[in-house]
Amino acid sequence: MKITKNQLRQIIKEERAKLLHEQAGALLSQGTLEALNNAMERAYYEAIDGAMADGLDEAEASDAAFAAIMEEVDGFADSMGHHNRGGRY
C-alpha cells in the first residue's frame, strides 16, 4: 500500500501526539520529547528528499528513509547497552 507524503506527515503528527500524551509524567520532559520528535521528523524528510534526488520514487524514498532512521535508533540503543528484544527496547 502506498501513502502520500502528506498522509505520512499526518500519521506522524497523530502518532507523536499519542506518544506525548502517553509519556506525560515520564522520565523525559514534554519539551525533550517534542525536540526529539522534531529532530527525527526533520531527519526523515531530509532523507526522503535525498533519496528522491538520487532517483527513488516517493514510496521507495520513504521506505529507505524509515529504514535509515531505524538503523540509527538501533545503533544508539546498542551503544547505550539496550538491545532490541522482539522490536521493543
Side-chain angles (χ1 to χ4, degrees):
M1 177 174 115
K2 292 185 179 182
I3 60 173
T4 66
K5 199 176 207 180
N6 287 335
Q7 288 171 320
L8 183 58
R9 284 184 178 160
Q10 184 62 36
I11 291 167
I12 289 171
K13 286 179 184 180
E14 290 170 4
E15 291 302 315
R16 182 182 340 153
K18 285 182 198 175
L19 175 65
L20 292 175
H21 179 68
E22 291 171 3
Q23 295 296 325
L27 295 175
L28 297 175
S29 71
Q30 197 86 7
T32 300
L33 287 172
E34 287 177 16
L36 178 59
N37 279 301
N38 288 337
M40 287 191 303
E41 185 174 356
R42 276 192 311 276
Y44 177 75
Y45 288 114
E46 287 175 14
I48 288 176
D49 291 342
M52 289 178 73
D54 288 342
L56 297 179
D57 69 29
E58 190 172 331
E60 293 169 327
S62 175
D63 290 345
F66 183 77
I69 289 178
M70 290 309 299
E71 284 180 31
E72 290 299 318
V73 169
D74 287 343
F76 174 75
D78 286 344
S79 75
M80 299 302 292
H82 295 276
H83 303 283
N84 190 343
R85 294 175 184 92
R88 298 179 188 261
Y89 290 93

